[in-house]
Amino acid sequence: MPEFKLTRYRIRTEGAGRSPAQPFSAVLLSDMHNDSYGNANSRLLQAIRSEKPEAVFVTGDMLTATLEPQRDSALALMDQLTKEYPVYYVNGNHESKEKKRTADSADARESYSEAIRGYGVHLLENSCVRTEIRRMPVTIWGLELPLDYYQRFRRMPLGAEQVAEFLGVPDEGRYNILLAHQPLYFDAYARWGADLTLSGHLHGGLVRLPYLGGVVSPQFSLFPRYDRGLYTKYGRKLVVSAGLGGHSVLIRVNNPPELVVLDFT
Ligand SMILES: [Fe+2]
């Protein structure tokens, strides 16, 4: 895996009573697939610390769910991060698969979800937490879509009403941040009322071409629309991380792994 780079986005919150008293930063980790940068992720942790983030957002696929699940580095990273920062986490398709596997297993201690909860991770499985960051009232939501929404060659429809069925309605007068691994449904997230959606899943489209962007999604659709970057629709924002790792197809062309830093003003 090549070394990661740092990608920075400025997020203007622009709402009466919903803006921070002072600017602050947060980091977004996604799609690490149990990789490690340095011994026990020392290089990644150092990069995070130098940003002095108020929060760590995680948008899933931090482990790889295979017959022999790979999750030791992911567990160690969550253990360390929760000692230093509030960590808000939504599952990706790999965690959902792993959850299914451990639900069927006799040994409940095997559960990845329980382990990271035990460290203090706010694991948002179609739920939310309300908090304040620099006096800005923030609600952080986690949308965990069923695995049907990740099928290959087939796109399940999803509208704002279904998002509301999973989550309820967003909070008025608060800044609503939605963690959603699958960025494909940005339209529904924006219509539902997410001021800012954070996503991953596409690994930047694996191979990136100048002007055209990412070439292929994990569902094998070509030139996926939201593969990495900052997008705006109906005045609401989406940030898609290109991710920090990979699995199965370990190709990344013109598409380095990235640590995303969000500068809120
Ligand atoms: Fe994924």
Side-chain angles (χ1 to χ4, degrees):
M1 194 52 62
E3 194 58 23
F4 63 90
K5 63 163 194 160
L6 210 104
T7 308
R8 195 176 283 280
Y9 299 105
R10 185 159 169 208
I11 308 293
R12 287 173 211 262
T13 51
E14 287 166 351
R18 300 190 319 173
S19 292
Q22 299 101 28
F24 67 90
S25 297
V27 295
L28 166 60
L29 311 181
S30 199
D31 300 271
M32 244 180 113
H33 290 285
N34 203 49
D35 275 339
S36 183
Y37 293 92
N39 188 21
N41 263 308
S42 56
R43 293 202 300 280
L44 180 68
L45 285 162
Q46 195 179 17
I48 293 171
R49 285 177 191 130
S50 65
E51 295 300 320
K52 299 189 171 58
E54 292 288 325
V56 174
F57 298 119
V58 184
T59 49
D61 280 9
M62 296 300 278
L63 52 79
T64 296
T66 46
L67 283 176
E68 290 286 319
Q70 296 160 26
R71 48 185 218 170
D72 51 329
S73 292
L75 285 167
L77 180 61
M78 289 308 125
D79 190 14
Q80 185 56 41
L81 283 172
T82 47
K83 291 185 172 117
E84 301 179 49
Y85 310 103
V87 179
Y88 304 94
Y89 194 119
V90 74
N91 287 332
N93 46 311
H94 280 260
E95 284 92 352
S96 296
K97 261 187 229 163
E98 175 69 354
K99 204 158 75 169
K100 245 172 121 184
R101 183 187 74 83
T102 48
D104 296 339
S105 111
D107 190 351
R109 285 170 304 170
E110 282 217 353
S111 163
Y112 175 82
S113 310
E114 286 314 307
I116 64 171
R117 264 213 189 89
Y119 303 147
V121 167
H122 299 276
L123 179 59
L124 302 169
E125 297 169 291
N126 294 329
S127 59
C128 71
V129 283
R130 293 179 180 91
T131 184
E132 235 179 56
I133 308 178
R134 300 268 169 105
R135 283 194 258 146
M136 175 168 83
V138 184
T139 307
I140 303 161
W141 303 81
L143 176 69
E144 184 175 354
L145 290 172
L147 285 165
D148 296 347
Y149 288 86
Y150 295 98
Q151 282 180 43
R152 287 182 177 163
F153 308 111
R154 182 160 163 249
R155 180 182 169 161
M156 289 271 289
L158 184 86
E161 308 70 38
Q162 280 130 311
V163 177
E165 278 169 31
F166 285 115
L167 297 178
V169 291
D171 286 334
E172 257 180 63
R174 304 176 66 88
Y175 192 74
N176 291 283
I177 298 178
L178 173 64
L179 311 181
H181 182 66
Q182 171 64 283
L184 190 62
Y185 303 106
F186 176 37
D187 190 90
Y189 307 153
R191 283 179 191 273
W192 171 75
D195 296 296
L196 171 68
T197 301
L198 304 176
S199 293
H201 186 53
L202 295 189
H203 302 187
L206 304 181
V207 176
R208 294 188 69 81
L209 300 178
Y211 308 113
L212 293 174
V215 171
V216 65
S217 83
Q219 281 152 283
F220 297 116
S221 66
L222 286 176
F223 297 106
R225 184 178 286 174
Y226 306 117
D227 51 11
R228 72 178 286 178
L230 171 66
Y231 305 86
T232 305
K233 207 168 192 184
Y234 317 128
R236 303 183 191 273
K237 297 179 183 75
L238 165 71
V239 169
V240 183
S241 165
L244 276 156
H247 70 101
S248 316
V249 192
L250 286 171
I251 313 171
R252 273 182 183 266
V253 177
N254 198 15
N255 178 30
E258 65 180 2
L259 171 65
V260 173
V261 181
L262 305 163
D263 294 323
F264 289 87
T265 59

